[in-house]
Amino acid sequence: DNTDDHTSASYIHPFSISNLSEMTISTTSFDIPDLDLYIGRDVNGNGVMDWGNEERASSGQFNSDESVYVDNPQDGLWFVAVHGFNVGNGNGTFKLKIDTVASGTGSNSGLNVQNITEINQSNIFNSWLRIIYPFIHSLFQPQLWAQMNHGSS
């Protein structure tokens, strides 16, 4: 990769999304001093990362821990370009992570919880007592029995 030209990124990963409310893309590396992250969307539908008009976000910290958040990304083909701004000895590995959150519509409607029972603080306390009482009782009962036996001899 050419340090002065992020369009020379040698790693470009295409991926398709649909029905997302957000996505976060991040990189990290322990042996590459400085990576930069560029995110693009295939606006013209040619299947290629066209720099400039298709760039949507970027992160260029002074290390390899980069992160980009995209709110309500449009459906379609996206690209992650990882640019080696400073790769040290010329090689190394990095971790690329793409986290997504499904939107509340369509087939990816997110988390659906059913048959939920709400409880208040009193319910929690009473439930806790039902769980903890037998344990506490079992701790002290042998001592009482031993004291009663000891006292009768």
Side-chain angles (χ1 to χ4, degrees):
D1 296 2
N2 181 340
T3 302
D4 298 324
D5 182 11
H6 68 276
T7 65
S8 69
S10 57
Y11 181 86
I12 298 177
H13 173 70
F15 64 101
S16 294
I17 62 167
S18 64
N19 298 320
L20 296 183
S21 63
E22 62 185 73
M23 69 178 170
T24 302
I25 303 167
S26 58
T27 60
T28 190
S29 177
F30 295 110
D31 55 359
I32 300 175
D34 190 1
L35 294 173
D36 293 334
L37 182 61
Y38 296 89
I39 310 303
R41 191 176 79 78
D42 189 15
V43 177
N44 60 13
N46 68 354
V48 177
M49 173 72 166
D50 294 320
W51 297 92
N53 66 330
E54 292 190 341
E55 289 180 48
R56 294 294 174 254
S58 65
S59 176
Q61 306 297 321
F62 295 105
N63 56 38
S64 292
D65 297 329
E66 306 294 345
S67 183
V68 171
Y69 171 82
V70 180
D71 189 33
N72 293 313
Q74 293 178 331
D75 294 352
L77 183 62
W78 286 73
F79 301 96
V80 176
V82 180
H83 176 249
F85 185 81
N86 176 4
V87 293
N89 66 5
N91 59 27
T93 59
F94 64 89
K95 178 181 174 182
L96 172 65
K97 185 177 178 185
I98 302 174
D99 292 317
T100 60
V101 176
S103 67
T105 60
S107 61
N108 291 335
S109 60
L111 179 64
N112 184 10
V113 179
Q114 298 177 348
N115 299 325
I116 187 170
T117 302
E118 292 186 29
I119 59 175
N120 60 28
Q121 190 172 6
S122 176
N123 297 130
I124 295 170
F125 181 73
N126 289 333
S127 296
W128 180 80
L129 279 179
R130 281 194 301 274
I131 293 168
I132 199 71
Y133 179 77
F135 175 71
I136 291 173
H137 184 69
S138 69
L139 289 177
F140 292 107
Q141 191 171 5
Q143 283 184 334
L144 293 175
W145 183 81
Q147 287 176 355
M148 288 172 46
N149 280 342
H150 180 66
S152 62
S153 14

